[in-house]
Amino acid sequence: MNSLTNGFSDVNETFPKVGSVGMIMGQFAGASDGFTNKPSASLDNINSHDM
Amino acid sequence: MSINFNESSRKGADKLTPEPKNTGEDPLEKAKRTGERTRFIHRLNPQIDRSYQIFEYNFKNGDYEHAGDYVLINKSEKTEITEKKLINLMTLLNGKDNLIDISNLTKVRSLFTLVPEAQAGDQTKIILKDYDGSGVSKENAVFTIRKGVFDE
């Protein structure tokens, strides 16, 4: 119980923390990301006129 | 009075050799039967097509409680893909990392948007989107879970 610290206790404090939304959903999206035409950050793709 | 002991024995034997459970067993029933206490489990929502209910084990009550929903918007998505996504989501929520790689089953980029608290109410609401590389992304599903599950 963490009632000594803030007066509240989570009903599932015996389970480990889940993690942040960004961390969990980032992994979730990564496992199902089948995008084949991923943009490349390579300098080769930058048009010289843009430099 | 005659007692048929063979009949009596047969009745008792039924309990000793339970029928094998099929793979479509309700997760809630399975949890109660096995005593396994996985924090988050999911099952098909019997009320809404292509929708899933998410349950969380509550130690105080000693039972599972409804904690969220996963509602598929893109109904053209194959059931196999949606099921695997749900398994992955439960895996992550349960603190594990043995995800099923389904990238070879989809041709889209998976994106997500967190709905602002003011609109999501007492839940954490996430919109999942598909982006096929042209135009704008399309909504794939809406995932809601009780506020407080994720670390702030």
Side-chain angles (χ1 to χ4, degrees):
Chain A
M1 300 285 280
N2 58 1
S3 55
L4 292 175
T5 54
N6 60 12
F8 294 96
S9 64
D10 192 304
V11 292
N12 283 315
E13 61 189 12
T14 52
F15 284 118
K17 293 278 187 182
V18 168
S20 67
V21 173
M23 187 183 82
I24 296 299
M25 297 312 295
Q27 291 182 70
F28 173 79
S32 57
D33 194 331
F35 198 63
T36 53
N37 301 312
K38 293 176 182 176
S40 171
S42 167
L43 288 175
D44 295 339
N45 290 341
I46 297 177
N47 191 306
S48 58
H49 295 292
D50 296 334
M51 300 292 278
Chain B
M1 187 175 117
S2 65
I3 299 174
N4 187 333
F5 287 101
N6 287 336
E7 284 295 320
S8 301
S9 300
R10 194 174 295 133
K11 287 176 185 173
D14 290 343
K15 294 176 184 174
L16 295 174
T17 54
E19 292 179 14
K21 302 292 180 183
N22 63 34
T23 55
E25 184 178 9
D26 186 292
L28 283 175
E29 294 302 320
K30 183 182 177 185
K32 288 174 184 172
R33 178 175 60 82
T34 62
E36 189 179 333
R37 291 294 175 257
T38 305
R39 181 174 182 179
F40 294 99
I41 59 175
H42 74 284
R43 73 172 181 185
L44 262 174
N45 188 329
Q47 306 293 329
I48 307 172
D49 186 41
R50 304 296 303 275
S51 172
Y52 297 82
Q53 296 170 312
I54 297 166
F55 293 88
E56 181 182 18
Y57 188 74
N58 184 323
F59 273 103
K60 283 185 177 174
N61 298 339
D63 204 355
Y64 281 94
E65 293 180 347
H66 180 248
D69 294 280
Y70 185 98
V71 180
L72 187 70
I73 295 171
N74 176 16
K75 306 288 188 191
S76 63
E77 182 174 272
K78 290 181 180 176
T79 304
E80 174 197 7
I81 294 175
T82 313
E83 287 279 358
K84 287 179 176 170
K85 283 183 178 179
L86 260 296
I87 291 170
N88 277 347
L89 192 55
M90 293 305 108
T91 298
L92 288 165
L93 290 176
N94 285 315
K96 299 173 183 171
D97 58 4
N98 52 330
L99 301 178
I100 304 168
D101 182 4
I102 57 172
S103 59
N104 59 336
L105 299 177
T106 66
K107 300 294 180 191
V108 296
R109 171 162 287 169
S110 294
L111 308 170
F112 66 90
T113 305
L114 179 63
V115 175
E117 278 189 28
Q119 298 170 35
D122 61 348
Q123 291 184 309
T124 299
K125 190 172 185 178
I126 296 159
I127 312 280
L128 296 159
K129 298 179 179 180
D130 290 335
Y131 177 62
D132 64 4
S134 61
V136 296
S137 58
K138 297 169 185 170
E139 291 186 352
N140 171 271
V142 178
F143 166 49
T144 53
I145 194 84
R146 75 166 177 83
K147 191 182 284 183
V149 164
F150 291 109
D151 296 349
E152 297 299 328

